[in-house]
Amino acid sequence: LVSVSVEESALIEWANSHLPLSIQIKEPDGSICGGIHLLRIAESIKGKPVSPPVLDSAFPQSPTDDKLDGLFQLFDFLLDNDVKMGSVSINDVRQGKRDKIVQLLKALKTWEDKRRTLATSIGSASPVSSGGFMAPITRN
Protein backbone atom coordinates (compact mmCIF):
# COMPACT_ATOMS: atom_id res chain seq x y z
CA LEU A 1 0.00 0.00 0.00
CA VAL A 2 1.37 3.39 -0.98
CA SER A 3 0.78 6.37 1.28
CA VAL A 4 -0.58 9.38 -0.53
CA SER A 5 1.17 12.68 0.22
CA VAL A 6 -0.77 15.90 0.78
CA GLU A 7 0.58 17.16 -2.57
CA GLU A 8 -0.60 14.03 -4.39
CA SER A 9 -3.96 14.18 -2.65
CA ALA A 10 -4.44 17.77 -3.88
CA LEU A 11 -3.32 16.72 -7.36
CA ILE A 12 -5.87 13.88 -7.41
CA GLU A 13 -8.61 16.25 -6.25
CA TRP A 14 -7.62 18.66 -9.06
CA ALA A 15 -7.58 15.78 -11.59
CA ASN A 16 -11.04 14.63 -10.51
CA SER A 17 -12.36 18.17 -11.07
CA HIS A 18 -11.60 17.55 -14.77
CA LEU A 19 -12.95 14.00 -15.00
CA PRO A 20 -16.49 12.73 -15.51
CA LEU A 21 -17.91 10.80 -12.56
CA SER A 22 -17.61 7.52 -14.46
CA ILE A 23 -13.80 7.65 -14.42
CA GLN A 24 -13.02 9.59 -11.23
CA ILE A 25 -9.85 8.52 -9.42
CA LYS A 26 -11.18 6.61 -6.41
CA GLU A 27 -8.13 4.62 -5.37
CA PRO A 28 -5.23 7.05 -5.05
CA ASP A 29 -2.78 4.37 -3.99
CA GLY A 30 -1.16 2.28 -6.70
CA SER A 31 -0.62 3.83 -10.11
CA ILE A 32 -3.26 6.58 -9.50
CA CYS A 33 -4.65 6.66 -13.04
CA GLY A 34 -4.06 5.61 -16.63
CA GLY A 35 -3.84 7.08 -20.08
CA ILE A 36 -7.59 7.51 -20.48
CA HIS A 37 -7.68 9.72 -17.37
CA LEU A 38 -4.73 11.79 -18.55
CA LEU A 39 -6.30 12.34 -21.98
CA ARG A 40 -9.69 13.32 -20.53
CA ILE A 41 -7.98 15.80 -18.17
CA ALA A 42 -6.02 17.29 -21.10
CA GLU A 43 -9.21 17.58 -23.17
CA SER A 44 -10.96 19.30 -20.27
CA ILE A 45 -8.13 21.83 -19.90
CA LYS A 46 -8.08 22.48 -23.65
CA GLY A 47 -11.86 22.85 -23.67
CA LYS A 48 -12.44 20.46 -26.55
CA PRO A 49 -11.96 16.79 -27.33
CA VAL A 50 -9.15 15.37 -29.37
CA SER A 51 -9.98 15.20 -33.05
CA PRO A 52 -10.66 12.57 -34.19
CA PRO A 53 -12.23 11.41 -30.89
CA VAL A 54 -10.41 8.73 -28.92
CA LEU A 55 -12.58 5.98 -27.45
CA ASP A 56 -11.91 4.60 -23.98
CA SER A 57 -11.39 1.20 -25.61
CA ALA A 58 -8.26 2.52 -27.39
CA PHE A 59 -6.37 2.43 -24.08
CA PRO A 60 -4.70 -0.60 -22.50
CA GLN A 61 -6.64 -2.19 -19.65
CA SER A 62 -3.52 -3.71 -18.06
CA PRO A 63 0.29 -3.38 -18.29
CA THR A 64 0.39 -6.36 -20.67
CA ASP A 65 -2.42 -5.11 -22.94
CA ASP A 66 -1.11 -4.22 -26.41
CA LYS A 67 -3.76 -1.59 -27.18
CA LEU A 68 -1.54 1.46 -27.46
CA ASP A 69 -3.46 3.68 -29.92
CA GLY A 70 -4.94 5.76 -27.12
CA LEU A 71 -1.54 6.29 -25.50
CA PHE A 72 -0.01 7.36 -28.81
CA GLN A 73 -2.84 9.85 -29.30
CA LEU A 74 -2.43 11.09 -25.71
CA PHE A 75 1.28 11.74 -26.22
CA ASP A 76 0.69 13.37 -29.62
CA PHE A 77 -1.88 15.67 -28.01
CA LEU A 78 0.48 16.58 -25.16
CA LEU A 79 3.35 17.27 -27.55
CA ASP A 80 1.16 19.27 -29.96
CA ASN A 81 0.03 21.46 -27.06
CA ASP A 82 3.55 21.92 -25.67
CA VAL A 83 2.87 20.16 -22.36
CA LYS A 84 6.27 19.74 -20.68
CA MET A 85 6.29 15.99 -20.00
CA GLY A 86 9.91 15.50 -19.07
CA SER A 87 11.16 11.95 -19.35
CA VAL A 88 7.81 10.14 -19.22
CA SER A 89 7.35 7.43 -21.85
CA ILE A 90 4.29 5.71 -23.26
CA ASN A 91 5.49 2.53 -21.57
CA ASP A 92 5.66 4.33 -18.19
CA VAL A 93 1.97 5.20 -18.49
CA ARG A 94 1.07 1.75 -19.82
CA GLN A 95 2.80 0.13 -16.84
CA GLY A 96 1.18 2.58 -14.42
CA LYS A 97 4.45 3.87 -12.96
CA ARG A 98 3.21 6.04 -10.12
CA ASP A 99 6.04 8.60 -10.13
CA LYS A 100 5.69 9.12 -13.90
CA ILE A 101 1.89 9.45 -13.69
CA VAL A 102 2.30 12.06 -10.93
CA GLN A 103 4.88 13.85 -13.12
CA LEU A 104 2.35 13.97 -15.99
CA LEU A 105 -0.44 15.19 -13.71
CA LYS A 106 1.85 17.98 -12.49
CA ALA A 107 2.73 18.85 -16.11
CA LEU A 108 -0.98 19.04 -16.98
CA LYS A 109 -1.66 21.25 -13.95
CA THR A 110 1.22 23.55 -14.95
CA TRP A 111 -0.14 23.67 -18.51
CA GLU A 112 -3.59 24.60 -17.19
CA ASP A 113 -2.11 27.33 -14.97
CA LYS A 114 -0.18 28.80 -17.93
CA ARG A 115 -3.31 28.73 -20.13
CA ARG A 116 -5.32 30.43 -17.39
CA THR A 117 -2.64 33.10 -16.86
CA LEU A 118 -2.44 33.74 -20.59
CA ALA A 119 -6.23 33.98 -20.92
CA THR A 120 -6.36 36.40 -17.99
CA SER A 121 -3.58 38.58 -19.38
CA ILE A 122 -5.21 38.69 -22.81
CA GLY A 123 -8.60 39.44 -21.29
CA SER A 124 -7.29 42.28 -19.14
CA ALA A 125 -4.97 43.79 -21.71
CA SER A 126 -5.95 47.27 -22.71
CA PRO A 127 -6.93 47.60 -26.31
CA VAL A 128 -4.04 48.83 -28.37
CA SER A 129 -4.71 50.53 -31.62
CA SER A 130 -1.99 50.46 -34.13
CA GLY A 131 -1.78 52.64 -37.16
CA GLY A 132 -2.08 51.30 -40.63
CA PHE A 133 0.70 49.06 -41.78
CA MET A 134 2.06 49.34 -45.26
CA ALA A 135 4.43 46.81 -46.71
CA PRO A 136 6.97 48.14 -49.17
CA ILE A 137 6.39 47.05 -52.73
CA THR A 138 9.41 45.62 -54.42
CA ARG A 139 9.52 45.62 -58.16
CA ASN A 140 11.82 43.48 -60.20
Side-chain angles (χ1 to χ4, degrees):
L1 193 70
V2 177
S3 66
V4 180
S5 70
V6 173
E7 179 188 27
E8 285 179 2
S9 185
L11 203 56
I12 291 165
E13 190 175 316
W14 167 82
N16 278 336
S17 75
H18 286 284
L19 292 170
L21 284 174
S22 60
I23 61 168
Q24 293 267 308
I25 300 167
K26 295 177 178 76
E27 297 176 28
D29 49 355
S31 68
I32 298 183
C33 67
I36 184 64
H37 300 89
L38 297 166
L39 181 66
R40 299 300 178 234
I41 292 166
E43 289 176 326
S44 173
I45 293 167
K46 179 87 176 196
K48 60 182 181 182
V50 174
S51 180
V54 180
L55 301 175
D56 293 3
S57 61
F59 288 88
Q61 303 301 311
S62 72
T64 56
D65 190 336
D66 285 335
K67 281 191 271 179
L68 298 178
D69 289 351
L71 293 177
F72 283 117
Q73 290 176 309
L74 165 67
F75 274 71
D76 284 347
F77 183 83
L78 297 177
L79 289 167
D80 289 347
N81 287 284
D82 204 28
V83 177
K84 307 291 186 218
M85 298 182 290
S87 61
V88 180
S89 72
I90 285 175
N91 214 32
D92 292 335
V93 176
R94 178 179 169 209
Q95 293 176 356
K97 292 187 177 174
R98 183 182 184 84
D99 59 325
K100 300 296 187 173
I101 301 282
V102 168
Q103 186 178 334
L104 273 183
L105 286 171
K106 287 178 181 177
L108 285 166
K109 175 109 174 56
T110 299
W111 179 53
E112 180 188 47
D113 293 344
K114 283 182 183 171
R115 287 177 59 85
R116 188 172 287 141
T117 300
L118 182 62
T120 303
S121 68
I122 290 172
S124 64
S126 59
V128 177
S129 67
S130 58
F133 174 77
M134 295 178 65
I137 298 173
T138 54
R139 299 179 195 261
N140 294 350

